[in-house]
Amino acid sequence: MNVLLTGGAGYIGSHTAVELLNRGCDIVIADDYSNSSPVAVERIRQITGRDFPAYHVDVTDCEAVRRIFRENKIDCVIHFAGKKAVGESVEIPLSYYRTNLDAALTVLECMKEAGVSRFIFSSSATVYGSLNPIPYREDMPRGECSSPYGTTKAMIEKILEDACHADSTLSAVLLRYFNPIGAHPSGLIGEDPQGIPNNLLPYIAQVAVGRRERLMVFGDDYPTPDGTCVRDYIHVRDLAQAHLLALEYLDRGGESGPFNLGSGDGFSVKEIVETARKVTGKPIPATMKPRRPGDPPTLIASNHKAREVLGWVPQRGLEEIIADAWAWHQSHPNGYDG
Ligand code: UDP
């Protein structure tokens, strides 16, 4: 099985690449390194001891994507490529719609030309909007997303549903990620956000390594047990393994559709900070701040469908996840730059 990973040098793409190579799949990576590093590609080779083609391309470039399909016999595409900063998407929505929709459409059109019919899409829990009851299940409708980033995910899901409806040979699995955190236990690959991190774990890690002074906790007056937001954090390796299971599922003729990838458990911001203090042995100063606009109080997955249909069993608990993240951040306080 030869799998094209668009955005394969990114955080989730690189961890998925490792799992696929370790399980004997061949891969091809296409990445423009706009929010990732070619060093990640070298690290994937180092961890797995395996080589593979890596193309430095923007997947909105149709000719460049065509060339990849011409030069490699691809069986399936896992589409990670896209812009993903929620706050930035509110400021420059047109750029998000242009890039994320164009990338997905270009890859799908080139796949069709090349006769490739299996597609796995990096979607997000944000497509549930804010009106569905918790925990989110795949049979609930998509809702109004709180950001243009989220809307691009929901729009691409709809495009895929329509494309699969129109072409019975196309099958697409939509993987709805909850809050992926952690890193490969080697400490060689991990999350490397550009600039000030938006997400909780990278921010905490940068405080722990001394790159930032203190964490700002956005809101402690939510209707949750300790007043801070509750999220469903999942180890990026567990998430990566779900992609492998999704490939196997498509290979045995599985139906197109969405799958939630979350642990099914929720932890509050305060609980995450406490666990990070314990694991790192660092004080991690934190200051309470007002709520961040658009943050729902609680986000938790029902993962029954992924467990039953894909056979997915998330295996790693919170302390292990944070310890793995810490190994990466401690050895790479400035990410792939050093
Ligand atoms: N959060 C925080 N301080 C930060 C970053 C995040 O208090 O510097 C909170 C945020 O308000 C949310 C939770 O941590 O309640 C998880 O946020 P993240 O951005 O990691 O994930 P998402 O909002 O996508 O669930």
Side-chain angles (χ1 to χ4, degrees):
M1 171 98 65
N2 196 7
V3 186
L4 171 61
L5 279 65
T6 71
Y11 175 46
I12 299 170
S14 58
H15 287 81
T16 302
V18 167
E19 298 303 325
L20 296 184
L21 290 163
N22 281 343
R23 289 292 288 269
C25 292
D26 294 314
I27 67 163
V28 175
I29 283 182
D31 205 299
D32 68 356
Y33 306 120
S34 58
N35 191 26
S36 62
S37 167
V39 176
V41 173
E42 282 315 314
R43 298 285 173 82
I44 296 166
R45 294 184 174 124
Q46 188 182 339
I47 292 169
T48 62
R50 294 198 49 202
D51 201 6
F52 52 85
Y55 289 80
H56 183 174
V57 295
D58 176 342
V59 293
T60 63
D61 177 348
C62 192
E63 261 321 304
V65 178
R66 274 197 184 118
R67 200 182 121 217
I68 297 174
F69 283 107
R70 261 200 319 272
E71 292 179 355
N72 303 274
K73 181 168 169 353
I74 302 293
D75 301 297
C76 179
V77 176
I78 309 184
H79 183 57
F80 298 102
K83 290 156 93 70
K84 62 172 190 179
V86 174
E88 184 185 61
S89 79
V90 177
E91 285 155 29
I92 47 168
L94 298 186
S95 165
Y96 270 67
Y97 287 114
R98 166 66 68 196
T99 305
N100 289 3
L101 296 177
D102 204 352
L105 289 168
T106 304
V107 171
L108 283 163
E109 284 170 355
C110 292
M111 273 175 63
K112 196 171 169 66
E113 276 174 23
V116 178
S117 59
R118 293 174 196 163
F119 191 80
I120 296 175
F121 176 54
S122 278
S123 191
S124 163
T126 185
V127 301
Y128 285 105
S130 57
L131 299 180
N132 283 305
I134 304 291
Y136 291 152
R137 287 192 325 263
E138 294 85 346
D139 57 5
M140 293 172 178
R142 279 188 294 267
E144 186 73 24
C145 298
S146 58
S147 71
Y149 157 78
T151 309
T152 67
K153 295 291 180 191
M155 289 168 93
I156 295 167
E157 285 201 356
K158 178 69 181 136
I159 288 169
L160 287 167
E161 284 167 10
D162 290 347
C164 289
H165 180 73
D167 176 358
S168 59
T169 65
L170 177 65
S171 30
V173 163
L174 320 174
L175 297 179
R176 295 178 174 163
Y177 306 154
F178 280 67
N179 288 63
I181 57 172
H184 191 268
S186 62
L188 288 170
I189 52 173
E191 193 168 12
D192 181 18
Q194 315 280 303
I196 302 171
N198 291 303
N199 297 113
L200 182 62
L201 245 290
Y203 204 106
I204 288 178
Q206 292 195 2
V207 175
V209 294
R211 227 175 122 178
R212 299 190 190 273
E213 206 179 310
R214 56 182 49 248
L215 173 74
M216 311 298 164
V217 175
F218 299 137
D220 62 353
D221 58 349
Y222 283 98
T224 58
D226 66 20
T228 62
C229 288
V230 171
R231 293 288 181 274
D232 183 333
Y233 295 92
I234 181 83
H235 198 303
V236 66
R237 282 189 87 192
D238 282 327
L239 197 80
Q241 276 157 358
H243 293 71
L244 189 70
L245 294 170
L247 276 177
E248 291 169 2
Y249 167 78
L250 287 177
D251 206 35
R252 57 177 188 268
E255 260 182 42
S256 296
F259 290 89
N260 290 340
L261 297 182
S263 68
D265 285 330
F267 290 96
S268 72
V269 176
K270 279 188 184 161
E271 287 173 315
I272 296 289
V273 174
E274 275 313 317
T275 310
R277 284 178 179 144
K278 186 172 154 203
V279 168
T280 63
K282 303 285 177 186
I284 312 179
T287 304
M288 294 303 156
K289 287 282 169 185
R291 294 180 178 195
R292 183 171 72 175
D295 273 344
T298 304
L299 263 181
I300 298 177
S302 156
N303 61 19
H304 290 103
K305 187 179 172 198
R307 283 176 181 272
E308 278 157 29
V309 181
L310 300 181
W312 183 57
V313 185
Q315 285 170 4
R316 297 157 180 103
L318 189 61
E319 284 197 19
E320 181 179 351
I321 308 182
I322 294 184
D324 285 343
W326 182 232
W328 156 253
H329 286 286
Q330 217 177 0
S331 56
H332 297 79
N334 298 306
Y336 287 108
D337 292 340

